[in-house]
Amino acid sequence: MRKKAGLITGIAAAAVILGGATVAAAASTQTTDDQPLSGTELQQASDAALAKTGGGTVLKAETDDGGAAFEVDVMRPDGSKVEVSLDRSFQVSTVESQGRDDDDSNQPGLSAEHRDKAGNAALARVGQGTVSEVEREDEGGSAYEVEVRLNDGTQVEVQLSSDFQVLDQSAPKRDDD
């Protein structure tokens, strides 16, 4: 009888452990609902955000799993960043300051004009997506490094010369941020 009670206890403990592991595994595989915008939604969200911020460069535009329908990150011409939340009809609901990007503020010569030129050159090469970051680069003969988020959520890095000519492009990879 003692053996039988021990066996039942062992089976019950294994079931609890297995059930807990299943719940933990399911929780770890959940993904956010944020998806990069494309096409008409990207254009409308970008236009609304830029109109509200007084111009700049759209760094990222995606659906929002929070209270807003869309979220657009914009770098203003002065280098400051803002997050613009939009409702389903592309009306601005909030604008939240993200401050300045320390990487950009420490890089002489990275003006809004250079960011735009580098971003446009990278997008022309890649053919899709949105620019998520532009940095001055001084390694391997590159003057600029541009990260482009593709429509499928992957990212590529594009290396540019000082005259905005494409030198190299990485293979698409998932960004784990």
Side-chain angles (χ1 to χ4, degrees), residues 35-64 68-74 82-95 130:
Q35 297 295 318
L37 298 181
S38 62
T40 305
E41 283 184 330
L42 173 61
Q43 188 63 53
Q44 289 178 301
S46 297
D47 290 348
L50 292 173
K52 183 65 174 183
T53 62
T57 303
V58 173
L59 302 174
K60 179 172 61 171
E62 61 189 8
T63 60
D64 186 32
F70 307 106
E71 181 180 287
V72 181
D73 292 345
V74 175
V82 293
E83 182 179 280
V84 181
S85 298
L86 306 165
D87 64 18
R88 291 233 174 264
S89 61
F90 301 98
Q91 298 300 309
V92 175
S93 54
T94 62
V95 177
T130 57

Side-chain angles (χ1 to χ4, degrees), residues 14-35:
V16 168
I17 291 170
L18 182 60
T22 302
V23 169
S28 69
T29 59
Q30 287 182 341
T31 59
T32 67
D33 293 332
D34 293 352
Q35 297 295 318

Side-chain angles (χ1 to χ4, degrees), residues 60-133:
K60 179 172 61 171
E62 61 189 8
T63 60
D64 186 32
D65 63 353
F70 307 106
E71 181 180 287
V72 181
D73 292 345
V74 175
M75 182 177 297
R76 291 180 169 157
D78 67 0
S80 64
K81 292 184 179 181
V82 293
E83 182 179 280
V84 181
S85 298
L86 306 165
D87 64 18
R88 291 233 174 264
S89 61
F90 301 98
Q91 298 300 309
V92 175
S93 54
T94 62
V95 177
E96 183 179 320
S97 175
Q98 302 295 311
R100 292 184 64 87
D101 187 338
D102 291 338
D103 290 339
D104 289 344
S105 64
N106 292 327
Q107 296 180 17
L110 189 56
S111 65
E113 178 186 4
H114 287 172
R115 272 192 298 276
D116 289 344
K117 284 183 177 181
N120 290 336
L123 285 173
R125 169 62 178 258
V126 175
Q128 64 163 313
T130 57
V131 173
S132 57
E133 187 173 7

Side-chain angles (χ1 to χ4, degrees), residues 139-157:
E139 295 177 15
S142 297
Y144 301 95
E145 179 180 277
V146 181
E147 290 182 12
V148 177
R149 182 175 305 275
L150 303 179
N151 297 340
D152 66 0
T154 59
Q155 277 195 176
V156 296
E157 291 180 357

